[in-house]
Amino acid sequence: MSPTTLYEKIWQNHVVHEEPGKPSLLYIDRHLVHEGTSPQAFAGLKAEGRKVRRPDLTFAVMDHSVSTTDRTLPILDNDAKLQFEALERNCRETGVRLFDMNSKHQGIVHIIGPELGITQPGQTIVCGDSHTSTHGALGTLAFGIGTSEVEHVLATQCLVQSKSKTLHILVHGKRPKGVTAKDIILAIIGKMGISGGNAQVAEFGGEAIRALSMDGRMTVCNMTIEAGARAGMIAPDDTTFAYLEARPFVPRGKEFQAAVDRWKTLKSDDGAKFDATIELHADQLAPQVTWGTNPGMVTSVNGRVPDPHDFRDLNDQKATESALKYMGLKPGTPIVDISVDRVFIGSCTNSRLDDLRAAAHLLAGKHVAKNIKQALIVPGSRGIKAQAEKEGLDKVFIAAGFEWRDAGCSMCIGMNADVLPPHERSASTSNRNFEGRQGRDSRTHLVSPIMAAAAALAGHFVDVREFDVAHVE
Amino acid sequence: MQPFTTHTGLVMPLDRVNVDTDQMVPKQFLKCLTREGFGRILFYDWRYLPGEKPNPEFVLNLPRYKGASILLARTNFGCGSSREHAPWGVKDYGFRAIIAPSYADIFYNNCFKNGILPAILTEAEVDQLFQHTESEQGYSLSIDLPTQTIKDAYGHIYNFEIAPSRKEVLLKGLDDIATSLLHADSIATYEKSHPSAATMFDPVDIKNYR
């Protein structure tokens, strides 16, 4: 048999029906659902008199609109309240397991999937959310779908799919201290552009990827979508197996060993052909900061805001001009001269324990700068929150002038009260710096958690390598 | 779903690359429970000044493009969030087709679920259409899906590619779910032969998840 990629192996293992020249019917192992993109799907199902085929493989959670402050208070946002009620009703009527906002397991859908062991290597996973690519870090084929497709998966536990082209992204060498998984993926997006991976399935490999913790790998796969790719994946290895052992939904004992033996076969064969390959050298990377209005508009912290005339393509010139106008930035400004109003550490990109531990390491015994109006830490899940509190991280953050919040999507998307005000500038560990993403007319700069912590302390962007990062993973 | 065969209509140009779905339907409108009514808020932040006053500079508010039903766009249209609210807004506003050099993956898929044709032309062809649209008031195009052609009144003809299966979905207005349920037996067979799809430890301590 000719050597095949990890993607092809998972694909082959999930084909329910195929005909030449037509898309295939692909089985979906885990369907994750949240309040934002599911009400119309459940309503459509009901209107057609259809049932949820596999409620046991469907998991719902409230994350996008939940408050990150006291949840015992009444919900003031009536639209959000109706959405929560709809999800609760839909789950009750269909038998889908729901982690509601008061569950101790509640959190951002892409955080709790892996955290609870719902996500396991070799699976196909979908969710009505583009950052579903996160789950690929555990060697799954995982991608975001629209609400019509959510309805389709609820009804059939399958999805109509055509095979994607494959992209191999190799990150060689060792990351320097102060350079994180976030910087790797931002640099990749900067190199590829935000449509560079359009509809492809990317597999990450190379020494720098293998050296990442699961938390770091999830950060990388999470933002694969920002390069336009359908999915990102990393073949499972001992790091993955160790992460999964004893998580709630993972098989135990002998069954776990059998699962590991199965999971070990999940990798691209030597000589497997990819449609394209991109290579990067981690040792040459510096911490990254976005300056514009999409994640591909990024440079290193030592860089400067570009001039529209730096670009040859007319459309790029116009896009840069418009981005600088929106961001209130002048060409040539050193990145470290950009001051920051608010700091947000959170989102499905960077709100895991590794992220919080690294930020706390930097913030311990220090205080945010006077010009910082708000510094928020929003753990990705209540599980992470509990563990962080056990380690005393909450006390470090609060002493440093940060607000320690409850779990949810929060200021990444600003669907709850955590909104970045007009014309204010954030250092944010989230995934999108689109116009208005964190709030109308707000200005987002995407960075790693330690770069965000450093910006909070300095009041402006600063090279985190000037801080004590020797022990930061 | 409303089938798409042919359509003739006024063209509105949106001269920006990488238009993301956050721009089409901003987050505050993702709390709706229905698929309707998103046309009024399509491109909300660009279209309205604070207080919902129409922004006179935004192309959608120009009187000459009132009633447009074909959206002319640039590369990587619809990138970012998977929200289907974006194509719901496009459709509800009255657009039946989009013409662009490329689309983001999820948005492209979502169009076909809503009877919107996302036609792909080359960048040079799209450039030419931008010139025609901007230089002539009332510039319209006729799109013919069966022959995969786009024509104007001056004899310009553009051919576009589309996967045969996608074309069929639009032409017949197919309901994907009904089509897939024809394979219910295959799904059941698959579920029997692939227990790995369901191997899951069901944790007692999470049963009472509240």
Side-chain angles (χ1 to χ4, degrees):
Chain A
M1 228 176 77
S2 62
T4 51
T5 61
L6 171 58
Y7 168 61
E8 285 157 342
K9 286 180 186 181
I10 298 180
W11 175 279
Q12 271 316 322
N13 200 29
H14 289 85
V15 174
V16 169
H17 179 83
E18 59 187 345
E19 287 172 52
K22 288 198 167 175
S24 303
L25 201 58
L26 209 63
Y27 199 76
I28 300 302
D29 293 323
R30 300 289 182 269
H31 185 195
L32 310 175
V33 169
H34 65 81
E35 78 277 21
T37 56
S38 67
Q40 297 88 348
F42 279 108
L45 208 66
K46 210 170 172 178
E48 295 291 329
R50 291 170 176 149
K51 284 200 163 67
V52 176
R53 184 181 177 89
R54 294 297 299 266
D56 57 324
L57 303 183
T58 312
F59 293 82
V61 65
M62 297 175 179
D63 59 0
H64 277 63
S65 303
V66 296
S67 164
T68 56
T69 56
D70 190 349
R71 285 188 194 156
T72 61
L73 296 172
I75 301 165
L76 295 176
D77 179 343
N78 199 49
D79 292 341
K81 190 167 169 244
L82 291 173
Q83 218 172 31
F84 297 139
E85 286 169 0
L87 185 62
E88 199 152 29
R89 191 176 55 246
N90 289 329
C91 289
R92 200 175 49 239
E93 287 174 4
T94 58
V96 167
R97 195 189 297 255
L98 167 68
F99 301 105
D100 74 11
M101 71 177 80
N102 296 309
S103 162
K104 68 171 182 171
H105 303 291
Q106 181 268 344
I108 306 173
V109 60
H110 309 309
I111 303 278
I112 67 163
E115 182 179 43
L116 297 177
I118 295 167
T119 306
Q120 294 170 21
Q123 291 173 338
T124 47
I125 301 179
V126 295
C127 172
D129 191 286
S130 59
H131 291 108
T132 308
S133 57
T134 312
H135 306 264
L138 290 92
T140 69
L141 173 61
F143 50 92
I145 55 177
T147 297
S148 295
E149 289 182 318
V150 170
E151 188 177 333
H152 189 283
V153 178
L154 288 174
T156 65
Q157 201 58 32
C158 293
L159 204 55
V160 180
Q161 281 286 298
S162 295
K163 221 169 188 180
S164 302
K165 291 203 158 156
T166 53
L167 173 64
H168 207 192
I169 302 178
L170 293 168
V171 188
H172 304 294
K174 283 194 171 61
R175 267 180 306 133
K177 284 290 173 189
V179 174
T180 68
K182 181 66 162 283
D183 303 299
I184 290 179
I185 188 63
L186 281 172
I188 289 170
I189 299 163
K191 186 180 165 115
M192 289 172 63
I194 62 166
S195 59
N198 195 353
Q200 299 169 48
V201 170
E203 183 182 337
F204 295 91
E207 186 189 355
I209 298 294
R210 286 284 144 222
L212 289 174
S213 67
M214 285 316 297
D215 287 3
R217 293 179 188 187
M218 285 187 250
T219 300
V220 169
C221 288
N222 172 274
M223 286 191 73
T224 319
I225 176 73
E226 309 309 336
R230 177 165 301 177
M233 49 173 45
I234 297 172
D237 58 14
D238 289 342
T239 305
T240 324
F241 311 142
Y243 172 92
L244 281 167
E245 189 163 12
R247 292 196 179 263
F249 286 92
V250 174
R252 313 284 159 100
K254 272 188 190 150
E255 278 184 54
F256 178 73
Q257 273 320 312
V260 168
D261 290 342
R262 226 173 31 241
W263 294 339
K264 279 184 176 164
T265 63
L266 294 167
K267 56 184 177 186
S268 292
D269 300 325
D270 290 338
K273 291 223 167 15
F274 291 82
D275 293 300
T277 301
I278 295 183
E279 299 185 69
L280 246 82
H281 293 271
D283 42 340
Q284 292 163 15
L285 291 180
Q288 304 284 303
V289 182
T290 64
W291 49 263
T293 50
N294 73 50
M297 294 174 160
V298 65
T299 187
S300 79
V301 65
N302 324 110
R304 287 168 185 271
V305 174
D307 193 301
H309 302 292
D310 294 349
F311 299 88
R312 282 176 61 187
D313 182 83
L314 190 66
N315 281 321
D316 286 341
Q317 284 184 16
K318 281 200 277 195
T320 305
E321 210 167 291
S322 141
L324 295 189
K325 189 175 164 215
Y326 181 87
M327 293 296 288
L329 291 171
K330 287 197 173 63
T333 308
I335 294 294
V336 292
D337 286 358
I338 300 172
S339 68
V340 169
D341 301 302
R342 291 179 200 246
V343 176
F344 171 62
I345 298 181
S347 86
C348 57
T349 311
N350 280 126
S351 63
R352 298 177 190 82
L353 275 169
D354 276 7
D355 302 320
L356 304 190
R357 285 176 186 144
H361 180 87
L362 233 79
L363 294 168
K366 301 193 179 76
H367 201 275
V368 302
K370 280 210 179 76
N371 62 309
I372 300 293
K373 294 175 184 165
Q374 184 182 39
L376 272 185
I377 301 228
V378 183
S381 72
R382 288 188 148 184
I384 291 169
K385 181 169 185 273
Q387 179 59 31
E389 285 170 358
K390 217 162 129 187
E391 294 176 21
L393 304 184
D394 56 325
K395 293 194 179 65
V396 172
F397 294 133
I398 292 164
F402 273 80
E403 294 173 37
W404 176 246
R405 294 290 189 87
D406 208 341
C409 298
S410 183
M411 202 187 270
C412 171
I413 187 163
M415 281 179 71
N416 65 356
D418 308 336
V419 174
L420 184 61
H423 307 297
E424 288 198 14
R425 199 178 288 289
S426 73
S428 177
T429 67
S430 52
N431 40 56
R432 288 191 176 130
N433 49 346
F434 294 152
E435 287 185 21
R437 172 79 182 182
Q438 294 189 290
R440 189 169 186 169
D441 291 326
S442 67
R443 295 161 175 169
T444 305
H445 296 269
L446 304 176
V447 288
S448 74
I450 51 174
M451 278 291 287
L457 295 176
H460 55 86
F461 289 107
V462 59
D463 190 341
V464 71
R465 292 171 298 182
E466 293 167 16
F467 290 71
D468 170 26
V469 289
H471 302 291
V472 174
E473 267 315 307
Chain B
M1 196 183 72
Q2 186 185 1
F4 187 108
T5 46
T6 59
H7 177 77
T8 299
L10 184 68
V11 184
M12 187 195 97
L14 184 63
D15 193 5
R16 278 177 85 122
V17 292
N18 301 321
V19 171
D20 60 78
T21 55
D22 274 73
Q23 306 317 314
M24 295 189 210
V25 175
K27 58 183 150 272
Q28 63 269 35
F29 303 107
L30 302 185
K31 292 175 193 163
C32 300
L33 300 176
T34 63
R35 298 173 192 238
E36 288 82 39
F38 291 98
R40 191 188 68 78
I41 53 94
L42 181 68
F43 298 118
Y44 188 85
D45 285 1
W46 291 341
R47 182 169 162 192
Y48 298 111
L49 299 168
E52 286 207 3
K53 238 181 71 189
N55 176 0
E57 285 173 24
F58 185 56
V59 63
L60 198 120
N61 293 324
L62 301 182
R64 62 183 283 192
Y65 297 121
K66 197 169 184 297
S69 59
I70 298 173
L71 178 59
L72 180 64
R74 295 284 187 190
T75 53
N76 197 31
F77 188 75
C79 62
S81 162
S82 61
R83 60 189 72 169
E84 197 165 318
H85 310 66
W88 293 338
V90 167
K91 189 184 179 188
D92 191 51
Y93 181 83
F95 291 116
R96 293 286 345 258
I98 311 172
I99 301 171
S102 62
Y103 300 86
D105 181 31
I106 305 176
F107 178 82
Y108 187 71
N109 284 331
N110 283 340
C111 283
F112 291 95
K113 313 290 177 192
N114 292 283
I116 302 166
L117 169 68
I120 299 172
L121 295 182
T122 65
E123 277 197 54
E125 288 169 331
V126 168
D127 272 342
Q128 212 179 73
L129 286 177
F130 265 95
Q131 283 167 19
H132 295 326
T133 307
E134 279 157 11
S135 62
E136 189 199 308
Q137 194 155 336
Y139 186 76
S140 294
L141 287 169
S142 292
I143 303 176
D144 187 89
L145 181 56
T147 59
Q148 298 176 211
T149 51
I150 301 175
K151 288 181 202 165
D152 67 10
Y154 307 97
H156 295 108
I157 299 180
Y158 307 90
N159 298 303
F160 61 94
E161 292 296 316
I162 183 168
S165 56
R166 302 259 198 204
K167 184 173 167 178
E168 194 189 352
V169 164
L170 284 181
L171 285 174
K172 297 183 179 164
L174 289 179
D175 172 3
D176 267 4
I177 299 178
T179 310
S180 293
L181 284 174
L182 296 176
H183 300 294
D185 289 348
S186 305
I187 300 172
T189 308
Y190 178 91
E191 284 173 330
K192 281 202 196 92
S193 63
H194 287 74
S196 74
T199 54
M200 177 160 54
F201 183 80
D202 206 0
V204 176
D205 54 329
I206 287 193
K207 274 259 166 65
N208 298 311
Y209 45 86
R210 287 190 65 144

